């Protein structure tokens, strides 16, 4: 009861801070599976949903096994936020995307452009981001993702392929300003169960750039060309957030 009271207090304070009667979406993250209380806490959130303090419940960076545990326990999950990009296919290779599609759980993808690694900025570069360029936590994390994906030569092959796709998109009249980043985002959006992508926006131009992603579709041939490069990848291995939790 004390734990439920603590969770309720946190949710109530968040409602007050946002000046809303209920939180539209609360997503649960659990860093250490050895502390087996994630189902208990998720069920507490479920109780608060029934009380009207929470509208919907989601999860963040769970693996498929634990996501299934939450579902089996009766937690009404509607979303699961995961790192997912052409450089990081763990949510796909684990079977999670298929399972989510079958159980009406929408994937919310972040890291879709790898802090800008999947962009024209790195196209044709003879080396990966330098130490000076790894000046944010985001760039440090996604540089590691790129290293796990494969050699820098393979990353360049992916960039060249996405650049060719962007050129085709522009030439076909589907989107005049299509970029590598737009193609990278579109590829993820077309992935099974993905409902949306989270992107970092630092200025008005970034908003305009990202809106373009929603103005075109990829052809099967274009998706196949990207997938052919992804099939050569070495990693990242395992399920969602396995590496970050030290399981791989």
């Amino acid at each position: 009861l004390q734990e439920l009271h603590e969770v309720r207090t946190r949710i109530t304070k968040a409602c007050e801070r946002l000046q809303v009667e209920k939180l539209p979406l609360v997503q649960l993250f659990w860093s250490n599976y050895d502390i087996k209380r994630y189902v208990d806490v998720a069920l507490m959130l479920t109780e608060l949903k029934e009380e009207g303090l929470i509208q919907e419940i989601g999860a963040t960076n769970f693996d498929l096994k634990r996501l299934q545990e939450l579902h089996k326990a009766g937690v009404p999950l509607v979303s699961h936020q995961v790192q997912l990009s052409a450089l990081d296919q763990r949510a796909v290779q684990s079977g999670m995307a298929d399972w989510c599609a079958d159980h009406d759980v929408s994937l919310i993808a972040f890291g879709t452009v790898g802090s800008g690694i999947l962009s024209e900025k790195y196209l044709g570069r003879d080396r990966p981001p330098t130490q000076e360029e790894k000046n944010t936590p985001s760039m440090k994390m996604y540089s590691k993702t790129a290293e796990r994906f494969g050699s820098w030569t393979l990353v360049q092959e992916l960039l060249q392929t996405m650049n060719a796709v962007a050129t085709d998109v522009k030439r076909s009249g589907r989107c005049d300003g299509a970029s590598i980043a737009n193609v990278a985002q579109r590829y993820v959006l077309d992935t099974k169960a993905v409902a949306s992508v989270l992107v970092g926006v630092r200025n008005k131009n970034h908003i305009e750039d990202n809106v373009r992603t929603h103005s075109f579709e990829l052809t099967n041939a274009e998706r196949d060309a990207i997938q052919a490069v992804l099939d050569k990848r070495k990693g990242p291995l395992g399920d969602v957030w396995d590496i970050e939790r030290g399981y791989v």
Side-chain angles (χ1 to χ4, degrees), residues 151-181:
S151 67
W152 186 244
T153 298
L154 185 61
V155 173
Q156 282 299 312
E157 184 178 348
L158 177 60
L159 287 171
Q160 291 161 8
T161 301
M162 288 184 164
N163 187 53
V165 170
T167 299
D168 287 342
V169 169
K170 287 182 283 191
R171 286 176 178 171
S172 66
R174 281 172 282 166
C175 177
D176 290 339
S179 66
I180 290 174

Side-chain angles (χ1 to χ4, degrees), residues 112-216:
T112 52
V113 298
S115 199
I117 293 175
L118 295 181
S119 72
E120 282 76 7
K121 178 178 180 180
Y122 289 94
L123 177 65
R125 285 263 302 252
D126 60 357
R127 65 190 67 182
T130 63
Q131 287 300 123
E132 290 75 18
E133 289 173 316
K134 299 176 187 177
N135 56 4
T136 65
S138 176
M139 179 56 83
K140 290 177 183 177
M141 179 170 71
Y142 295 121
S143 293
K144 273 292 184 185
T145 299
E147 290 172 12
R148 292 170 180 136
F149 176 78
S151 67
W152 186 244
T153 298
L154 185 61
V155 173
Q156 282 299 312
E157 184 178 348
L158 177 60
L159 287 171
Q160 291 161 8
T161 301
M162 288 184 164
N163 187 53
V165 170
T167 299
D168 287 342
V169 169
K170 287 182 283 191
R171 286 176 178 171
S172 66
R174 281 172 282 166
C175 177
D176 290 339
S179 66
I180 290 174
N182 293 141
V183 171
Q185 291 174 342
R186 186 72 256 171
Y187 183 81
V188 173
L189 281 168
D190 290 346
T191 301
K192 186 180 292 188
V194 172
S196 63
V197 297
L198 296 179
V199 294
V201 176
R202 282 181 279 181
N203 57 57
K204 185 178 71 173
N205 292 335
H206 283 174
I207 295 176
E208 296 170 353
D209 291 343
N210 286 299
V211 166
R212 283 200 299 267
T213 298
H214 301 278
S215 67
F216 67 94

Side-chain angles (χ1 to χ4, degrees), residues 3-15:
E3 290 174 336
L4 177 59
H5 175 73
E6 181 181 346
V7 174
R8 181 185 286 108
T9 298
R10 293 191 180 192
I11 297 299
T12 302
K13 286 183 177 179
C15 288

Side-chain angles (χ1 to χ4, degrees), residues 50-85:
E50 293 168 353
E51 291 180 13
L53 283 174
I54 297 172
Q55 184 172 333
E56 303 292 356
I57 300 172
T60 301
N61 287 330
F62 277 77
D63 63 14
L64 179 55
K65 177 183 176 182
R66 276 74 179 192
L67 202 65
Q68 290 171 329
E69 287 179 24
L70 296 178
H71 177 76
K72 186 177 180 180
V75 180
L77 296 172
V78 298
S79 65
H80 187 210
Q81 182 175 312
V82 296
Q83 182 176 331
L84 177 57
S85 70

